[in-house]
Amino acid sequence: MTVVKSTLSESARQVVGEALQGTLVDLLGLSLIGKQAHWNIVGPRFRSIHLQLDEVVDTARTYADTVAERAATLGVPPDGRPETVATTAAPQGPKEGWVQDTEVVGVMVEALEATIGLLRERITATAEPDPVTQDLLIGLTAELEKHRWMFQAEDWPRRA
């Protein structure tokens, strides 16, 4: 049953819906990774990375809401349930317990890279069926690439 009628064709709605749903769970997963690391980071760079993690979480949560609302606008019910995020989100989080600041940086670089890689695929997939969604994904990718750059710079030259 479709409650909201889409302005897209059914085939376009399906492609775009899959891209938006995948992005939603990846962003929710990224926000959880960021918060887990935020609560458990230790080390000499605690404060700066602790604050930097909140910036990533804010970006992920803001865009998750925008992505979910875009899906709903197109007649695709967004699914951000915990079990959906746990089983389908791409990025992997830190280990349990206290995490050294250098390890947090590595986890965040990897999580951001995984999310960005999938976003680039979704940008390509949505180009034809819905340039509006593609534009949203492009803006999100730019923001996440900026966060990745900042984390990567935190660990130079070790991760060069």
Side-chain angles (χ1 to χ4, degrees):
M1 173 175 97
T2 301
V3 174
V4 176
K5 178 103 172 98
S6 177
T7 56
L8 302 177
S9 70
E10 184 56 32
S11 62
R13 189 177 76 88
Q14 184 167 350
V15 169
V16 173
E18 288 174 9
L20 290 168
Q21 179 59 37
T23 301
L24 175 62
V25 296
D26 290 347
L27 289 172
L28 294 173
L30 186 61
S31 73
L32 293 171
I33 290 166
K35 271 303 179 187
Q36 182 67 21
H38 174 88
W39 297 321
N40 289 286
I41 186 173
V42 293
R45 295 181 297 161
F46 165 84
R47 181 156 173 73
S48 64
I49 296 173
H50 181 80
L51 296 173
Q52 193 175 352
L53 289 163
D54 271 341
E55 294 173 7
V56 173
V57 170
D58 288 346
T59 298
R61 288 180 176 170
T62 298
Y63 270 94
D65 189 53
T66 302
V67 164
E69 289 177 355
R70 179 70 185 153
T73 297
L74 297 174
V76 177
D79 184 359
R81 297 172 300 152
E83 59 270 25
T84 303
V85 175
T87 59
T88 60
Q92 298 297 306
K95 64 181 172 112
E96 182 180 345
W98 304 118
V99 185
Q100 184 67 37
D101 53 3
T102 53
E103 187 177 342
V104 167
V105 169
V107 165
M108 291 308 298
V109 168
E110 289 172 15
L112 287 161
E113 282 177 357
T115 304
I116 291 163
L118 291 168
L119 278 166
R120 288 193 168 281
E121 292 173 14
R122 294 171 186 144
I123 287 167
T124 300
T126 57
E128 178 64 32
D130 187 26
V132 175
T133 295
Q134 183 193 43
D135 184 58
L136 171 63
L137 299 179
I138 289 169
L140 168 58
T141 302
E143 288 295 316
L144 294 182
E145 286 179 337
K146 180 178 169 185
H147 288 301
R148 181 189 165 278
W149 159 58
M150 290 181 175
F151 275 108
Q152 194 175 32
E154 279 279 344
D155 228 12
W156 188 88
R158 191 180 359 231
R159 292 191 186 277

